Amino acid sequence: MTQDTAEYAVIGVGSIAEAIVTGLSRSDEPPTILLSPRSRQRTARLAARYPAVRVAADNQAAASGAGTVLLCLRPQDAAETLATLRFRADQRLISVMASVPSAELARLTGPVAEISRAIPATAVAAAGHGFTPVFPGGSAAQRLFDGLGGSMVLGSEQLLDAVSVASATVAAHLAYLQTVSSWLVGQGAGLEDAQRLMASVFAGATAEFADESDFVALARHHATPVGSTSTSNGRCGGRGSSPR
Ligand SMILES: NC(=O)c1ccc[n+]([C@@H]2O[C@H](COP(=O)([O-])OP(=O)(O)OC[C@H]3O[C@@H](n4cnc5c(N)ncnc54)[C@H](OP(=O)(O)O)[C@@H]3O)[C@@H](O)[C@H]2O)c1
């Protein structure tokens, strides 16, 4: 007998869970969603904003309350948290947790109908803007993220882990922008102005990703021939000292 009161439940309501819940709730037919109660401010905010979102009394009530349960915990919290929960054999689990293999999840959760994994980005919050790697194809993960912009179906869990590493370079990209900003400060600019400038330059460039994802073509578009942004031979053609 099913005890479902919602289509989806979420265990671990942090940044990525909020993005997924927001994307689902902004879709044309928002599903009902049950949230684990920790992270009170965030869960209250989501429940207040979206009528189909509710907060469960505790983790087990969330875990038992939906046919499909999203696991959005930090990897280091997964084992301890999942070990306290019981899942039914007819439930589907979608894990967005990096570096927790399906076999380990199966060991922690016991028998369930399906375990799938996904590596979403916060862009899924704007329903239609995500492009989410999922494994395996035809799973609950694919169905969910198809509705939030699209899925990149991967042929193996090993490739999913490689994609996860590639996606994590966004943090290095932001650190790079901070390095360039600091270099500009060293040249005499104010920190706030330097950061705003870099944000503006890169927001403009990344806005073009909606229509173009050939980075070589984009680099060409942004490089004035023989100008300071020229990238011919893979080298920056600017004069003066380079950011380190
Ligand atoms: N952020 C991203 O862009 C992104 C993208 C793809 C995949 N992921 C993966 O998604 C997972 C979550 O990442 P995140 O950035 O969303 O982390 P996060 O913001 O720290 O969210 C994790 C949430 O889980 C909660 N939590 C911890 N222990 C719990 C428990 N026992 N019961 C219920 N909730 C619990 C945390 O609450 P407290 O803060 O109170 O501890 C926090 O709200 C990670 O495994 C990460 O690899 C993240």
Side-chain angles (χ1 to χ4, degrees):
M1 192 181 82
T2 174
Q3 305 149 31
D4 295 350
T5 60
E7 286 166 70
Y8 291 105
V10 183
I11 307 291
V13 186
S15 315
I16 197 64
E18 177 162 17
I20 297 167
V21 170
T22 301
L24 288 171
S25 301
R26 284 179 178 167
S27 61
D28 291 341
E29 291 179 27
T32 46
I33 305 175
L34 196 54
L35 306 177
S36 62
R38 190 155 137 175
S39 320
R40 238 167 247 291
Q41 273 192 338
R42 202 186 293 261
T43 54
R45 184 170 65 236
L46 287 166
R49 193 174 293 161
Y50 303 115
V53 176
R54 287 179 300 114
V55 184
D58 53 38
N59 279 359
Q60 185 59 58
S64 307
T68 303
V69 183
L70 280 113
L71 305 177
C72 302
L73 297 156
R74 292 180 291 260
Q76 62 270 30
D77 297 324
E80 194 184 331
T81 307
L82 295 178
T84 64
L85 298 177
R86 289 180 314 284
F87 294 93
R88 302 189 311 269
D90 66 336
Q91 286 181 299
R92 292 182 165 77
L93 308 183
I94 302 174
S95 169
V96 304
M97 301 184 289
S99 71
V100 185
S102 300
E104 172 68 1
L105 287 170
R107 193 185 63 76
L108 291 165
T109 62
V112 289
E114 179 191 277
I115 294 177
S116 51
R117 291 180 60 195
I119 311 289
T122 50
V124 296
H129 282 74
F131 181 57
T132 303
V134 298
F135 175 81
S139 59
Q142 184 181 356
R143 286 192 291 283
L144 190 159
F145 290 107
D146 273 351
L148 297 182
S151 301
M152 174 184 180
V153 177
L154 302 175
S156 72
E157 204 165 358
Q158 189 188 4
L159 183 53
L160 185 89
D161 288 331
V163 162
S164 167
V165 171
S167 301
T169 58
V170 68
H173 178 70
L174 296 173
Y176 163 76
L177 297 187
Q178 183 56 36
T179 301
V180 179
S181 304
S182 301
W183 173 78
L184 211 44
V185 169
Q187 305 301 303
L191 176 62
E192 202 176 315
D193 279 349
Q195 287 173 325
R196 270 188 74 184
L197 176 71
M198 295 316 294
S200 163
V201 168
F202 280 81
T206 52
E208 296 175 43
F209 291 175
D211 303 314
E212 173 67 271
S213 50
D214 179 339
F215 300 125
V216 176
L218 280 170
R220 222 177 282 126
H221 174 64
H222 281 272
T224 310
V226 205
S228 64
T229 52
S230 172
T231 57
S232 58
N233 299 325
R235 282 176 289 146
C236 177
R239 296 186 191 88
S241 60
S242 308
R244 286 172 205 282

